[in-house]
Amino acid sequence: MYEFDDSYETFSDRASLIEARGKGGSLVDADLSFLNLIDIDLSGLDLSGVLLSGSCLKGANLENCNLQAVFIQDADLDRVNLKGADLQQGFLQRVQLNGADLSSADLSGTSFLLCHLQNVQMSDTRLDNAQMQGSDLSGTLFSGASLNEAMLRECDLMGTRFERCDLRDADLRKATITHAVFEDIQAEGILYYGLAPWSGKGGDKEWNKVLPTFDGE
């Protein structure tokens, strides 16, 4: 498991980062904040504990990167390639990830607060215990993904597809599920309001009957 280190190597520009990478320099716990990293290729590198706040990584290749405990705020990662990446225990807030590919990535225990993940690929992705409250996941495809105990409360799931997913004990309360599709999912213990949009019972309680007008926790 990654252990946090409060000492950071700071990079002032894209060129210095590329030079360090080319020399085999370590990017663990590096401060990559407020950099223009559009289309950069950092695939396979150990980026655990990096700071990426305010940076632009549109179209970047971060495939198979170790990004455990990454800290990202107010950054643009649209169309980023994160296939097979390890983002366990990361923290992302107000981050743009529209059109990203997170297939086979491990996001277990990661927090996505008020993030935009529209039209993202989440095939065989692990999101167990992920916190995604208030994020926009509209049009995203979850295929074979594990979302056991995931927090999807107040998320925008309009047009989102869940195919062959594990959603046991997930929290979907107050989520917008207009035109969302749930096919062949595991739904035991799900928390939700209204009528279940999937076949079969979601858990031990029929929440539409117990909480017809409930608006609290």
Side-chain angles (χ1 to χ4, degrees), residues 43-117:
S43 56
L45 292 183
D46 189 347
L47 301 168
S48 51
V50 298
L51 302 180
L52 279 166
S53 297
S55 291
C56 182
L57 289 93
K58 282 185 176 180
N61 185 7
L62 302 178
E63 185 171 0
N64 295 321
C65 282
N66 179 1
L67 286 155
Q68 288 188 27
V70 66
F71 185 92
I72 313 176
Q73 283 185 319
D74 303 301
D76 189 343
L77 279 73
D78 282 351
R79 306 185 315 279
V80 68
N81 177 8
L82 284 161
K83 290 181 181 178
D86 186 349
L87 288 95
Q88 294 182 73
Q89 306 300 321
F91 181 88
L92 293 83
Q93 185 173 34
R94 297 183 301 275
V95 175
Q96 298 281 129
L97 280 155
N98 301 315
D101 193 338
L102 286 156
S103 299
S104 300
D106 193 342
L107 312 175
S108 303
T110 295
S111 296
F112 294 84
L113 302 180
L114 305 175
C115 292
H116 292 269
L117 298 101

Side-chain angles (χ1 to χ4, degrees), residues 114-132:
L114 305 175
C115 292
H116 292 269
L117 298 101
Q118 299 178 23
N119 303 307
V120 172
Q121 293 294 318
M122 295 269 198
S123 297
D124 300 314
T125 305
R126 294 192 61 86
L127 293 131
D128 301 317
N129 296 296
Q131 306 292 311
M132 308 186 81

